[in-house]
Amino acid sequence: AAARARGIPTVLAGVDFPIDAGYDYDEDGVRAYLNLFDRIMVRTQPGKAQFDKFGWPVTLGADWAWRLPTDTARDIQPDAKRAVVIVREFPVDTVDSQYVRSIQDLIAGLRAQGYKPCLAPFCPEDERFASELGFDKGVPNERHWWNPRRMKQLLGASGLVVSVGRLHPIIFAADSPAPIALLRPAITRGNERVTIGKIENFAKELDLKIYDDPAGLLAGLKAREIGSANQTAVHEAKNRLENAIQEIRAFMAQRSLTGSPKRMRIG
């Protein structure tokens, strides 16, 4: 709002917007918010479809993390038996014994299949959450959240990546040969299982498997149905990001020349 008041061009890019039947929002408020931006670029086709349903003009872009370089640290070596498990933090009062048991069963099941599971928190909150629930007891903790490039290297050099509720491990590992699986967090809200729409969207786009429980994931692993991301989809996402960046640059150049870019108004 401050940028708009000063005539500074504004772009919303690299994100999706949570518009679905189960999301409680004020449509007038959403429209007022989106009208603060000169350009809106969402990162997935399902995200764009959500806007299209309401007649909100957006461009299909991509997540900014597709541009993240991979580190080349010598102390991170390829290991086909390393299984990196990323557990997203949730408010501790929302988890119960079923959730704790699901993570414990996952780690034990990976060991039983000959993997060497380790935790890789993506932020301090993830690390604190895992510690409070005891997930880090007897499990190596790869603490690289302070260095995204190093985290990307670790994931890509591993034999398996399992994300329990975190989106960006998927993107970090997607342009590597590492097999990737997603486990829906065993958390309910009311009588319904919690789902994370943005992760579901990316899983579909990249042809990744999503499992409801550790038993299904472990069975899928044993059956060798868990694979790496669809590289054609990865290439397309990276191209969309580059196109979005060029569009933003062109828009900014127009703004500097004319001083009055044409704003898109959302009815």
Side-chain angles (χ1 to χ4, degrees), residues 85 117-121 127 130-131 136 138-145:
V85 179
C118 66
L119 298 180
E127 186 173 8
S131 178
D136 57 350
V139 182
N141 191 10
E142 294 286 348
R143 189 174 180 271
H144 306 300
W145 48 260

Side-chain angles (χ1 to χ4, degrees), residues 41-54:
M41 299 176 174
V42 295
R43 59 188 174 186
T44 63
Q45 184 62 55
K48 183 177 184 302
Q50 289 175 333
F51 281 91
D52 290 344
K53 286 190 300 184
F54 293 89

Side-chain angles (χ1 to χ4, degrees), residues 118-138:
C118 66
L119 298 180
F122 252 60
C123 60
E125 290 78 12
D126 288 356
E127 186 173 8
R128 186 162 49 248
F129 178 73
S131 178
E132 288 180 9
L133 296 178
F135 299 147
D136 57 350
K137 293 180 179 178

Side-chain angles (χ1 to χ4, degrees), residues 7-150:
I8 299 172
T10 54
V11 177
L12 180 65
V15 299
D16 284 320
F17 204 85
I19 304 170
D20 57 45
Y23 192 86
D24 184 20
Y25 68 96
D26 177 75
E27 187 167 332
D28 290 338
V30 169
R31 291 180 184 277
Y33 172 71
L34 295 178
N35 275 320
L36 295 174
F37 300 96
D38 297 292
R39 297 289 186 273
I40 301 172
M41 299 176 174
V42 295
R43 59 188 174 186
T44 63
Q45 184 62 55
K48 183 177 184 302
Q50 289 175 333
F51 281 91
D52 290 344
K53 286 190 300 184
F54 293 89
W56 295 338
V58 298
T59 299
L60 180 59
D63 193 286
W64 293 102
W66 287 117
R67 262 198 163 200
L68 179 68
T70 304
D71 206 348
T72 56
R74 294 183 180 180
D75 59 322
I76 295 181
Q77 296 296 318
D79 188 344
K81 287 299 181 181
R82 181 171 56 229
V84 183
V85 179
I86 301 96
V87 180
R88 172 188 170 170
E89 61 89 17
F90 289 96
V92 174
D93 59 1
T94 67
V95 304
D96 56 19
S97 60
Q98 179 185 0
Y99 176 86
V100 173
R101 188 165 54 252
S102 72
I103 303 300
Q104 293 172 338
D105 290 347
L106 171 64
I107 292 172
L110 290 172
R111 282 188 175 134
Q113 292 196 32
Y115 283 91
K116 298 178 289 185
C118 66
L119 298 180
F122 252 60
C123 60
E125 290 78 12
D126 288 356
E127 186 173 8
R128 186 162 49 248
F129 178 73
S131 178
E132 288 180 9
L133 296 178
F135 299 147
D136 57 350
K137 293 180 179 178
V139 182
N141 191 10
E142 294 286 348
R143 189 174 180 271
H144 306 300
W145 48 260
W146 51 274
N147 187 338
R149 297 184 183 194
R150 185 178 177 89

Side-chain angles (χ1 to χ4, degrees), residues 191-204:
N191 295 322
E192 296 185 1
R193 180 74 171 267
V194 168
T195 59
I196 303 175
K198 60 185 179 182
I199 296 179
E200 308 272 338
N201 290 345
F202 271 88
K204 292 175 184 177

Side-chain angles (χ1 to χ4, degrees), residues 171-259:
I171 300 175
F172 282 21
D175 61 357
S176 78
I180 307 169
L182 295 97
L183 179 63
R184 291 187 177 98
I187 296 177
T188 58
R189 184 180 292 121
N191 295 322
E192 296 185 1
R193 180 74 171 267
V194 168
T195 59
I196 303 175
K198 60 185 179 182
I199 296 179
E200 308 272 338
N201 290 345
F202 271 88
K204 292 175 184 177
E205 185 174 298
L206 299 174
D207 293 337
L208 298 176
K209 298 285 186 180
I210 308 177
Y211 298 92
D212 285 322
D213 54 63
L217 189 153
L218 293 166
L221 183 61
K222 190 172 184 179
R224 298 185 178 180
E225 69 179 26
I226 297 175
S228 56
N230 182 320
Q231 293 305 299
T232 298
V234 171
H235 182 71
E236 290 174 352
K238 290 184 175 183
N239 281 344
R240 291 201 312 268
L241 178 57
E242 295 307 314
N243 291 338
I245 290 171
Q246 292 306 314
E247 182 177 337
I248 292 171
R249 286 174 174 165
F251 165 68
M252 294 298 183
Q254 174 202 13
R255 174 66 174 85
S256 65
L257 289 173
T258 66

